[in-house]
Structures are given as structure tokens and as C-alpha cells.
């Protein structure tokens, strides 16, 4: 059974991108933080979970590089970890099928 909250993630990413494109930094930050908090509360941590986390961290990194000066590179580490987990899960899925 699919999680209904997962269906809203791409929509939240689109909204965050809109705020970023329109230079609404405060709204962008709120949307990204809210989406990150929502996804981290999910109990199922499969490939989609880690892919969405990676996309969120990637958007945070893009925002930080454009609007802040070297404030926090920790999200790059988290993005890398999410991407590693995503590919590990995908490799396992391919090896089983």
C-alpha cells in the first residue's frame, strides 16, 4: 500500500522550486524544512524515501550556495548519504529480481 504523504513530496519540491525561482527565500526555507521533517517521520525507508531526501538536500545545497556564504556544508554530507542509500537499495532490488 502506498503512503499518501509520498504523493505530496514532488508537489512540495515544485513549490519550493517556485519560491526559489521567485526569490522568496523565507518561503523556500519553510517549505524545504517542512518537507524534510515530514519525510524523516516516515517509517518506510525505501529507495523513494532516500531519493526524496537526496532531492531535498540538493535543493538546500543550491539555495545555500546562492544565498548564503559557506554557512553549512553538512547537508552535502546528508545528500551524499541519501544518494548512497538509494543506490544500495536499487542494487539490492535488481539483484533479487
Amino acid at each position: 500500500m502506498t503512503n499518501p504523504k509520498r504523493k505530496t513530496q514532488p508537489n512540495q519540491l515544485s513549490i519550493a522550486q517556485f519560491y526559489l525561482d521567485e526569490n522568496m527565500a523565507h518561503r523556500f526555507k519553510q517549505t524545504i524544512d517542512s518537507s524534510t521533517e515530514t519525510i524523516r517521520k516516515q517509517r518506510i525507508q525505501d529507495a523513494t524515501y532516500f531519493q526524496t531526501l537526496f532531492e531535498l538536500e540538493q535543493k538546500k545545497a543550491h539555495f545555500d550556495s546562492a544565498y548564503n556564504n559557506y554557512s553549512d556544508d553538512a547537508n552535502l554530507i546528508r545528500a551524499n548519504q541519501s544518494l548512497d542509500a538509494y543506490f544500495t537499495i536499487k542494487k539490492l532490488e535488481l539483484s533479487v529480481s
Side-chain angles (χ1 to χ4, degrees):
M1 178 173 228
T2 60
N3 188 343
K5 288 185 179 180
R6 286 198 181 179
K7 293 180 182 177
T8 63
Q9 269 326 105
N11 189 30
Q12 292 298 318
L13 290 171
S14 299
I15 291 169
Q17 186 62 50
F18 169 78
Y19 289 144
L20 187 61
D21 293 343
E22 296 298 318
N23 293 324
M24 301 172 137
H26 181 67
R27 290 285 198 187
F28 170 81
K29 189 82 167 132
Q30 283 179 333
T31 303
I32 289 293
D33 290 345
S34 172
S35 296
T36 302
E37 184 178 322
T38 300
I39 191 124
R40 288 195 185 277
K41 288 181 181 177
Q42 291 182 1
R43 291 177 26 170
I44 300 173
Q45 295 184 353
D46 59 358
T48 304
Y49 170 88
F50 288 106
Q51 180 183 12
T52 305
L53 271 181
F54 170 72
E55 291 170 358
L56 287 168
E57 296 299 338
Q58 186 179 34
K59 289 213 182 287
K60 282 184 196 178
H62 181 257
F63 172 78
D64 288 342
S65 68
Y67 295 100
N68 297 335
N69 18 332
Y70 313 111
S71 63
D72 183 21
D73 288 336
N75 67 315
L76 295 176
I77 295 168
R78 288 192 299 268
N80 187 31
Q81 290 169 341
S82 295
L83 193 58
D84 285 343
Y86 168 78
F87 281 116
T88 301
I89 290 170
K90 284 298 186 183
K91 284 182 200 175
L92 289 171
E93 287 176 352
L94 290 173
S95 69
V96 171
S97 58

